[in-house]
């Protein structure tokens, strides 16, 4: 997997700008014949833009990997906390008597619910929030100056009925 990542960076840095430049030259040639006006970007500008996107790709990949490693570490910590709660609250009271075991179970249930479950709920909420605002926005949002126009059934229906 790391080899694929290692190979993708030079492709993003060198091959993609070459093909973008080649495609732009073909489009420019077609626009000249059709009298279209389009911006002309040099290979250097394309390479610089692609280098910035490659750096953002690598940083995003490292950030996402670190996020999932953080979740894995938290799940390991929760597993250890559950083991400690079980050993301290239940196993120490099982050998005493029924009432002590009953109280031990109450302590175990309260600490498990209060600490582990509430922490897990908060962790899931924060991770879902991160997925929406960080990873999802990185996939689709480009700050290119085009105003966001959300999809609207009303506008689609009026466009279809007007045509």
């Amino acid at each position: 997997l790391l080899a694929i990542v290692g190979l993708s960076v030079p492709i993003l840095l060198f091959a993609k700008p070459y093909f973008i430049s080649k495609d732009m030259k073909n489009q420019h040639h077609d626009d000249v014949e059709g009298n279209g006006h389009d911006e002309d970007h040099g290979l250097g500008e394309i390479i610089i833009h692609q280098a910035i996107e490659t750096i953002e790709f690598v940083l995003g990949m490292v950030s996402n990997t670190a996020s999932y490693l953080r979740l894995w570490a938290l799940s390991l910590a929760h597993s250890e906390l559950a083991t400690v709660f079980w050993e301290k609250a239940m196993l120490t009271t099982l050998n005493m008597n029924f009432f002590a075991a009953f109280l031990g179970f109450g302590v175990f249930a309260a600490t498990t619910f209060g600490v582990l479950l509430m922490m897990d709920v908060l962790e899931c909420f924060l991770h879902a929030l991160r997925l929406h605002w960080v990873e999802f926005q990185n996939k689709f949002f480009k700050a290119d100056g085009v105003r966001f126009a959300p999809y609207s059934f009303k506008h689609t229906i009026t466009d279809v009925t007007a045509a």
Side-chain angles (χ1 to χ4, degrees):
L1 191 60
L2 286 176
I4 293 171
V5 170
L7 291 174
S8 67
V9 171
I11 291 171
L12 286 172
L13 280 175
F14 302 113
K16 189 175 177 185
Y18 170 74
F19 287 114
I20 290 173
S21 174
K22 188 176 176 182
D23 187 45
M24 288 181 78
K25 285 182 183 176
N26 289 340
Q27 286 180 355
H28 181 67
H29 179 69
D30 294 342
D31 287 344
V32 169
E33 291 175 355
N35 293 330
H37 300 286
D38 195 25
E39 284 187 36
D40 190 24
H41 299 287
L43 182 62
E45 185 177 343
I46 295 171
I47 289 175
I48 290 172
H49 180 72
Q50 188 60 39
I52 292 169
E53 285 196 10
T54 303
I55 291 169
E56 288 177 357
F57 167 75
V58 171
L59 289 176
M61 189 173 50
V62 169
S63 172
N64 294 340
T65 303
S67 175
Y68 287 107
L69 286 175
R70 175 185 49 84
L71 287 175
W72 176 67
L74 284 172
S75 70
L76 285 177
H78 289 175
S79 171
E80 289 301 314
L81 274 174
T83 303
V84 168
F85 291 159
W86 177 257
E87 289 174 357
K88 298 298 180 190
M90 283 300 294
L91 291 183
T92 57
T93 59
L94 283 178
N95 295 333
M96 294 179 188
N97 59 24
F98 174 75
F99 186 69
F102 184 75
L103 286 178
F105 176 75
V107 170
F108 170 72
T111 55
T112 300
F113 181 78
V115 175
L116 294 179
L117 293 179
M118 292 306 210
M119 283 175 59
D120 280 337
V121 167
L122 181 64
E123 174 186 334
C124 291
F125 168 73
L126 291 175
H127 188 66
L129 195 65
R130 182 193 180 281
L131 285 173
H132 279 86
W133 287 102
V134 176
E135 292 183 23
F136 185 75
Q137 293 294 340
N138 283 343
K139 303 289 184 225
F140 303 107
F141 177 73
K142 296 280 185 191
D144 55 359
V146 177
R147 186 179 176 140
F148 175 69
Y151 183 78
S152 171
F153 285 111
K154 183 178 179 182
H155 290 284
T156 304
I157 291 170
T158 55
D159 289 346
V160 169
T161 55

